[in-house]
Amino acid sequence: MKKAIRVLLVAVCLLMVFTTPVAAAAPYQTYTYSSTGFVLTSPDAYVPDKVVDGAIASANFGELRDMVVDKDGNVYLVDATNACVHVLNKYYRLTRTINSFVNEQGVPDGFNNPSGVFVNDQYIYICDTDNNRIVLFNHDGEFVQTVGKPESNLFAEGSIYKPVALAVDSYGRMFIVSSTTYEGVIVMGIDGSFYGFIGAQKATVTAWQAIWKFISQNAEDEETVTSTEYNNITIDKDNFLYVTTNSIDEAAQQNAIMGKDKGGTLAPVKKLNASGTDVMTRNGFYPPSGEVKVSTSATSKIQGASSIVDAAVGPEGTWSIIDDKRSKVFTYDNQGNLLFAFGDTGSQVGSISTIKAVAYSGNDMLLLDKDNASFTVYRRTEYGDILISALESQNLRLYDKEVEGWTEILKRNNNFDIAYIGIAKAMSRDGDYENAMEYFRVAYDSAGYSDSYKEVRKEWISKYFLIIPVVIIVFLVLVLKFFGFAGKKNKAVSLKVGQKSVTEEIIYAFHVIFHPFDGFWDLKHEKRGSVRSGFLILLATILSFFYQTVGTGYIHNSAELTSDSLYLTLASVAVPVMLWIVANWCLTTLFEGEGNFSDVFTATCYALTPLPLVIIPGTFCSNFLTAEEASLVSMLTTIGFLWAGMLLFFGMMSTHGYSFGKNIVTILGTIVGMIFIMFVAVLFTTLLSKMFTFVYGIIDEIQYRM
Amino acid sequence: MNAKRILSVLLALLTVLGSICITAYASVVPAAAAYEDKVDENGDPKIDYLTKEYKTGKNKLKDMTLIREQNGFQLWYEEFTGEVALVDPETGEGIFSNPYDIAVGNYASKATRQQLLSQLAVTFSYNGVEKTMYSYTDAALLGQINYKNIKNGVRVEYAIGELQTTRLVPRMISKTRFESMIMNNITNEKDLEYVMSFYSLKDPYDVKLTESLVKEMQAAFPVTKKFAVYVCETDISAKELKRIEDIIKTFCPLYTYEEMEQDHNDCDYVSQDVAPPNFKMAIEYTINETGLEARLPANGIRFDESTYTLKSITMLPYMGSGRGSNEGYSLIPDGSGTLIRFEDIQGQTYNVSGQMYGSDYAYHSISGQHTEKMTMPVWGVVETRETEVKVGVGPSATTEKVESDRGYLAIITEGDSMANLMCENGGKIHIFNNVYPMFYPRPSDSYNLADSISVGSNSSLTVTSSRKYAGSYRIQYILLGTEFENGKSYDATYVGMAKAYQEYLEGTGAITQLKKEDVQKDIPLYVETFGAIQTTDRVMSFPVTVDTALTTFEDVKTMYNELSEAGISNVNFRLTGYYNGGLNNTYLAKLEWEKVVGGDSGFKDLLSYATEKGFGVYPDFDFAYQRLADWFDGVSEKKHLVKSIDDRYMSKREYDAAIQDFESAMLLQFPQQYTITSMLSSMLTILLTALRAFPYQHSVQT
């Protein structure tokens, strides 16, 4: 929380520094997100320029549903109330209203509840939703043809076809979103021939629904799973489709965002190729699915995940989506990095009451406001211009110019991680790996950091090539020497009668881990170990986990360390161990186990010995390993855990004098017992905390009233 | 005998004196027409105010009464509606408390027109239900607006809502008594008919009634088991009651209140009337040099506080409204100031409102969108009106239509912090555009009961402040486009408004004009620097919180050096977050400069350097907020922290762009006088050095 406040404060300071001059211009705050989900204020990339309503366009605007801009800057607005499409020129003055035509049969015809429009060089395509057809016009506003419902047996019996949005690729194929069709995007030619469905949105199932389905095993229940459908579609110049949906289960969508899910199943916006595969790159800190920090409090006016209703493709591979819950625009680059988010509800120029569509017109962004029957033109700022030019240089591989651009961006917004990554990449291309590492680290790009580190390490190794085998040999010799010494010592102590010293007891652990059967037997019967040495081994294990927490190399653990993580480590080691000991003792007392409580404790602690032995060197090595080599460390750790588990098994067997089969049963029982104790503990603490809050509440209340 | 004679002489003298007084009074107000002149015998207005078309202000004034002439202005009053107008006698134009042309080309409904004729709207709640009453419908139509002449102006007294007065009208009376005491005495046929239309006879001995009907009657009126009664209608209006009372008083002088009481007792009648809502208040209008001042004394507001909760008072909502069909604009103090042009929003109902000076952080929930604050208690309306001007003299004179710009600037001079400013553009509802204040005499706040232990539900409770505002709500209306007596005038533009406000502020001493020697050639450059902030760092790989310097005192020197090298000499630094924890400062009980930015010696060093080089250093001390609590900082939560209406500690809320709501940002507390004083004495020396370092006059405000 402290940290949150701190970050917020920095953000506020930055806000003061950067946005004061333009504060009067935009009634919203532009921002991005940090890797940990903090809002980072950013300079405005777009500022409102003017609002175009019916009076200004000299047209009569009803309920505006969709808006597109053609390459000449003409704006096409779909008006459902007046059942027409208004065509405005690039100065936003009405040039034509398409509302009636004479159809193929030579009969005067009109639209019924039109919802979408698409424009390419050839035609103007209008989704005549309630007439279940697409109507094509040429650019002189003359009627060309109508395309009705595609004929195919792939359509379910009696299914209704309600086209609400469409996009047309450079081959003239139409991609149609129908509001009542769940099978995906309909692909058809303008002659009405049906090509198929693509990109079916998988039905989302909440966890509860899944469990219920599992339990009930009832086929009828499948009906309760809601299918999701798309609500809008747009296409870029390479014929990739951007489809949006707002019918994914909100909690699931938000969980996917918070879980940094890179998959597309729960993404409200997908980039489909011609065969309907989601090819969206989601390399940002959070998936490009709209708002990250959302309120779940019942008293907030806006809650839950974004409701994405439209997408637009901007310059240089950028694309924007709009959230009609928040009246916000989120703009991403082609890697899925959030470039900027802005927008708010309200009545000032630049605020939008209900956002319905987004479109780019040259350097301007247009947002459609359904409630006010108008659209607002946003002008790109200097910051936005630099950002786009930097992306342009990146796309054209003009690296020097790109670095220049990112440097300019950082002067204006030093929280912009993409700029740091851009510079770091340029540095590593120039061979300046050390500095590149620093920039990657600032931008929380551990993959880039790892690549640069690899190069730095390569250089170091080539310089000190001879040292490495020497160090390894010395280390191995020392290890062998130590085990030789331990073996000798243990043999000597086995003849000793009476109380053993702590050192002797601990050195005995090195015998136990290699000879578990007689090792644990002697541990108990020959009193080769004791509770105090067991406790020391437990302590060593905890300390080694502490070391793992604080000492793991940046590449393998890029999460920021807080003082809480140490407590968490302590709890995650000590609590399961103690639970195991208590549960096992309780159970074995009932099952004729021979070991008493201290025997169980000692044996369990001795079984932990392999853990510090693998974790300490593993953690140490992680500082010199790259991301690809991480599996080495994790393999080592896994071996340690398996080893400890095996020791635990045999330790319990010898301590209690059980047969192999009986030991398996008691160990399973112990695990159940642990779960049971946990359950009771959770129940107890919950009740206790309820009671505490109650008493605290009363005291609080009395205090307020005094 | 003697005594009687003396008494009679005295009485005679008194009568004479009284008549002299009346004459004297009448001479001050020559045309003192009374309310009675405006109504017919039924109490209805003679003029149909809602539909009578007044094309010009002069026409309207013909139906109004001149109250006073002063400072070159005329103050006119309308006895029935309570309207007030301040006009320039030469042009007949000025400011009207309600638009005179409400019936001209207006599409407003009857109810809206009644609102347009109101000078006050009172919103109150009864049993949790809010209701608004308007002075036209709930005072003027009931004849409950009176006026008194006061020094420099007029005081208009309102009783909004029906007055509860015990009328001499028996609500239930036995048949025999009614007939003997009242019915037989009313000799006027018409009056008797009127009275009888409100009474119904409940006679159990009536042979025409069936048995079941009699039983029903006896159940409803148990007294009818004993004798027949006359029952007065229950939903009789105040006006009707008054008329019946008048009739009874005229024809039945023997029927008194005691008699009525007796009748009610005999019939076991118990009044079930709840006192109707009635709010008494007055607006005092006084003429001054630049226009009109309207004042509503808050301690003079009277109502039944045990039954009703007063929510807000809207004062003069249509004073000087602009016509939406004209060219013109409204100015609202929204942020840096907003002009809303009438032609931009023609036909649209477009309302903007905002609390003066922004949100009150002592409230539980601060809702609303990201809006600009209402920064100054001023607003204004300017419009271009067509007026007819006589050209030429004598019989050859013709009238010509001339366009002239008129307008006003209003300044809340008292009670501004309790005001909400509303900008109303009638649009589809009516044709007028105006800005007006809404005052909240008693702040009330609601909080969610789920937060407290007493209930588990999600319901909320409304709490009203126990303190009452005893001052006044005072608004100064400055006329624009009118020449004042002293020859000055303000243009009817926003520049004129700015000029008017500037001169008003100058008059109050809030600002002073810079003298020639004060103006420097160098424009001062102000630089805000941020001191220190806590960050997480690793000490021996363990995470610890450390103070990190953002701009040290040495950095400030470097900044100055670089700026002066670049030729910028007049530089002033505002140092924010340099003490007691930096930007996340603890309470300023004792001043400790952050070590990482240079510490105590660093600051002294910076000061001497600043004195030497001649640049300004302004350390920024925050006495109102603390962001972090500290041990032994002398802050007692109970004593010092700002509390909400139900005594919970409150924090400052800031608008969060991501979740689009107000979020708690930091603790909030009173700037306690004693803490500041003690702090000041402890660092007096250091501050004195600091003050000496300031090249320009600067006062430390506490």
Side-chain angles (χ1 to χ4, degrees), chain B residues 87-109:
Chain B
V87 295
D88 184 346
E90 283 165 32
T91 58
E93 287 282 333
I95 187 165
F96 286 75
S97 66
N98 301 80
Y100 54 77
D101 47 358
I102 61 154
V104 182
N106 195 357
Y107 36 77
S109 67

Side-chain angles (χ1 to χ4, degrees), chain A residues 125-196:
Chain A
Y125 302 75
I126 296 164
C127 289
D128 192 1
T129 307
D130 282 2
N131 285 332
N132 320 95
R133 63 183 180 186
I134 311 286
V135 188
L136 272 64
F137 292 86
N138 67 16
H139 282 276
D140 297 324
E142 289 158 359
F143 169 75
V144 179
Q145 67 173 99
T146 57
V147 186
K149 184 185 174 182
E151 290 306 320
S152 166
N153 50 14
L154 282 176
F155 279 94
E157 189 82 14
S159 71
I160 308 161
Y161 168 69
K162 292 240 178 255
V164 290
L166 88 163
V168 182
D169 71 5
S170 50
Y171 307 108
R173 281 180 302 187
M174 296 197 291
F175 297 88
I176 298 158
V177 168
S178 160
S179 67
T180 47
T181 308
Y182 306 117
E183 290 93 339
V185 178
I186 300 161
V187 191
M188 61 192 286
I190 60 165
D191 56 349
S193 52
F194 177 71
Y195 299 149

